[in-house]
Amino acid sequence: MRIGELAEQAGTTTRTLRYYESRGLLPARRAVNGYRTYDEDDLRLLQQIRTLQDFGFDLEETRPFVECLRAGHPAGDACPASLAVYRRKLGELDSLIEQLRSVHAQVGAELARAELEAAAELPGGPEPRCELGG
């Protein structure tokens, strides 16, 4: 198939495919007429890249999965290098989750403090004025 057909089937653009080609993730095969040609294996490569990017993997992190597929494995995560990327990504996600938990706790504490202060000021006192500068 030609580049436009592959882009349509993969749900992406020809510009993206050319970029992947320039990064060495997509093979650069040419027909005798000079057109780029692709097959179902290339579509599988693109689907693997897109799935991983949907999970938050950057383009370079997809390389071991692509290379695994190119080596003839039925799945991009059947190789040790791909498994290492999964492990590294899980570590990153665990760290982000911990950071978010910390921020969540801090925001919760600030909310509780602000609610207590607001409740203490209401009985008998003037209503707080909120002014926007501008």
Side-chain angles (χ1 to χ4, degrees):
M1 68 185 95
R2 291 182 31 191
I3 193 167
E5 296 168 288
L6 180 63
E8 184 176 331
Q9 286 189 31
T12 192
T13 65
T14 57
R15 182 177 180 195
T16 298
L17 298 183
R18 287 186 195 97
Y19 178 68
Y20 290 171
E21 181 182 310
S22 74
R23 298 290 307 267
L25 292 169
L26 194 61
R29 292 185 304 270
R30 302 265 182 178
V32 290
N33 60 7
Y35 291 130
R36 289 174 172 88
T37 61
Y38 303 96
D39 58 24
E40 292 300 317
D41 289 338
D42 299 320
L43 181 58
R44 283 184 49 223
L45 292 178
L46 286 172
Q47 290 168 335
Q48 178 76 78
I49 292 168
R50 302 272 315 229
T51 297
L52 292 169
Q53 287 190 309
D54 287 347
F55 291 160
F57 287 64
D58 67 35
L59 192 57
E60 196 55 37
E61 289 174 317
T62 70
R63 188 173 300 280
F65 297 86
V66 169
E67 290 172 355
C68 191
L69 285 171
R70 279 189 182 158
H73 295 277
D77 57 7
C79 299
S82 303
L83 298 175
V85 172
Y86 273 156
R87 287 185 195 100
R88 189 170 50 249
K89 182 56 79 175
L90 279 176
E92 290 173 14
L93 292 171
D94 287 341
S95 176
L96 288 171
I97 289 167
E98 285 305 312
Q99 290 173 9
L100 288 172
R101 283 187 178 133
S102 175
V103 170
H104 183 274
Q106 291 170 13
V107 170
E110 289 298 314
L111 174 61
R113 179 202 50 77
E115 288 176 336
L116 283 173
E117 287 178 7
E121 291 179 8
L122 284 180
E127 194 162 321
R129 290 182 28 196
C130 295
E131 297 180 18
L132 296 177

